[in-house]
Amino acid sequence: MTLPAEDEAPSPALTATQTALAAEHAAVYGYGVLGGRVAGKRRTEASAAYDGHRARRDALMRTVRDLGGAPVAADAAYALPFAVTDTASALRLAAVLEDRVAGVYSDLVRATEGPARADAAGALREAAVRAARWRGGNVAFPGLAERAPGAGPAERTGPVEAAGADGTG
């Protein structure tokens, strides 16, 4: 494997992978917050989603290393787009998290090829399906928040920045 020189810009694949990793860090945090606000079958779904995001996060960390980068670290905490005080707001947060993760995987699909692209497309599909389940309906273009009907400013904000993973939150 050839590592990039220090003055070399990272490849688009590495940049998109780092962004996906940051979004997965934020999703793991978000599911940790909302998990305590749901019960029964929904708690089981939240737990499965949490485990899925942790597995994706760990795989992305390996991929970043394979691409010659140092994996972006998780923040200690993330700014949530709204207060999570009850089951309804927890379910809404889960849908927002999945929409944001789908957005970064959409970028990763564009930036990669071969098996990496197939993995990114699978992650995009999983996030879109989870978002539809949490929301109770789907969107026409999963991963493209600007295409979502009625997308407000929180939904149009970049998937990582809005979750507080841009280093400012």
Side-chain angles (χ1 to χ4, degrees):
M1 161 175 59
T2 303
L3 297 177
E6 286 195 28
D7 59 345
E8 229 179 274
S11 70
L14 177 57
T15 299
T17 303
Q18 289 278 39
T19 302
L21 174 57
E24 289 291 5
H25 284 313
V28 167
Y29 177 87
Y31 272 98
V33 170
L34 72 86
R37 300 281 186 212
V38 294
K41 180 180 178 224
R42 290 302 211 172
R43 178 169 283 178
T44 301
E45 290 177 52
S47 179
Y50 175 78
D51 291 342
H53 286 292
R54 285 181 36 208
R56 289 268 180 208
R57 177 202 61 197
D58 295 347
L60 287 167
M61 290 175 78
R62 288 187 296 275
T63 301
V64 166
R65 285 188 202 99
D66 290 346
L67 291 171
V72 63
D75 288 347
Y78 294 87
L80 299 176
F82 48 84
V84 179
T85 58
D86 56 14
T87 299
S89 59
L91 298 179
R92 198 171 89 201
L93 177 61
V96 168
L97 291 171
E98 296 298 346
D99 285 339
R100 292 175 178 175
V101 167
V104 296
Y105 279 113
S106 175
D107 293 341
L108 190 57
V109 167
R110 285 189 292 272
T112 56
E113 54 189 33
R117 178 176 279 174
D119 288 344
L124 169 57
R125 182 187 66 248
E126 289 170 10
V129 168
R130 280 193 299 261
R133 285 184 181 145
W134 291 122
R135 185 183 304 105
N138 58 12
V139 295
F141 299 98
L144 300 175
E146 67 274 11
R147 299 278 190 204
E155 288 77 17
R156 286 192 295 261
T157 304
V160 177
E161 296 84 4
D166 64 348
T168 63

